[in-house]
Amino acid sequence: MFTFREAATLTPAQVGQETVLLARFAHLLPDAFVLESAFEEGFYRRANLPEQLGKLFAPINPRRIDEDILEDLCQRASALVRTSALMDDSVQLLLLAVKNAGLAQGEFHLRRPAQRRSEGGQARPPGNEVLFALKRLWADDWTFDAVLSRLDAAGSIALEARPVLIFAGPPGQPDPETAEALGSFEAWRSPAGLVGLA
């Protein structure tokens, strides 16, 4: 887990290209931090999810997809991800990062770099709501549309672990003036500050 200033020293492969862009303007961001892709990878590995998901989707033939069966399997996969437990040490690290970033209380949202869909809520100490939103975001990778898209594009249900950006305040709205001022194609601002660049 990194502040945006720390993320500026990392590669786009570790934290996402948008994260590197946002880190250049860390002074404009609300309270926030970056959850590196290794955190999600650790969750999947420790919960034995790759094996469980592989067995779950074994009946699917990527060349001839039965969408009714796929839809049922996706619902089960999403539930499996949502209900699989993070190890205690991972939970404690996340809650410490939430506290240190000033996000244990008040409105927050989180999302993947380069994606606008977010999860959020109102946090109360110690910040468990952030953990629940993170699990919902991870489970969203197993919706019917997401899995079908991977099957169509790659012939596989597999996905790569990716970083997550966690911000104080609500999701942002497009702000052309800020985008122009920062030399970006697009920028998103919320009342709390800058929350997206492209």
Side-chain angles (χ1 to χ4, degrees):
M1 291 157 222
F2 303 98
T3 66
F4 273 84
R5 292 185 195 281
E6 291 167 338
T9 67
L10 304 173
T11 67
Q14 292 172 287
V15 293
Q17 181 62 44
E18 183 187 8
T19 306
V20 174
L21 291 175
L22 285 167
R24 292 172 47 210
F25 304 103
H27 62 287
L28 300 176
L29 304 179
D31 291 337
F33 70 99
V34 180
L35 199 59
E36 72 277 18
S37 56
F39 191 82
E40 181 180 15
E41 187 176 329
F43 163 66
Y44 270 76
R45 189 173 20 83
R46 290 177 176 178
N48 197 30
L49 287 172
E51 183 178 344
Q52 292 183 70
L53 291 163
K55 287 180 181 176
L56 181 65
F57 284 96
I60 297 298
N61 178 350
R63 288 182 289 281
R64 220 170 24 152
I65 299 169
D66 183 323
E67 292 192 358
D68 291 332
I69 292 174
L70 182 63
E71 188 165 9
D72 176 60
L73 295 177
C74 289
Q75 290 173 0
R76 291 166 56 190
S78 290
L80 178 63
V81 172
R82 272 194 319 275
T83 58
S84 292
L86 274 163
M87 300 297 283
D88 284 346
D89 59 337
S90 296
V91 170
Q92 294 309 314
L93 282 172
L94 178 63
L95 292 180
L96 181 60
V98 167
K99 178 183 175 187
N100 289 343
L103 298 173
Q105 187 165 310
E107 189 173 6
F108 71 93
H109 74 282
L110 51 84
R111 64 176 177 81
R112 305 277 193 185
Q115 293 184 353
R116 295 299 144 221
R117 189 199 162 283
S118 65
E119 291 286 344
Q122 289 284 336
R124 295 181 301 280
N128 287 329
E129 294 78 13
V130 176
L131 172 60
F132 302 147
L134 179 62
K135 294 288 287 297
R136 290 193 305 270
L137 187 75
W138 286 342
D140 192 61
D141 287 329
W142 298 98
T143 61
F144 176 80
D145 289 339
V147 173
L148 185 61
S149 176
R150 292 199 298 275
L151 285 167
D152 287 344
S156 170
I157 63 160
L159 57 81
E160 293 288 326
R162 291 166 291 158
V164 174
L165 311 179
I166 305 172
F167 296 98
Q173 298 296 321
D175 185 337
E177 289 181 14
T178 298
E180 185 176 352
L182 299 181
S184 293
F185 179 67
E186 290 183 314
W188 288 265
R189 288 187 65 86
S190 77
L194 179 68
V195 294
L197 282 176

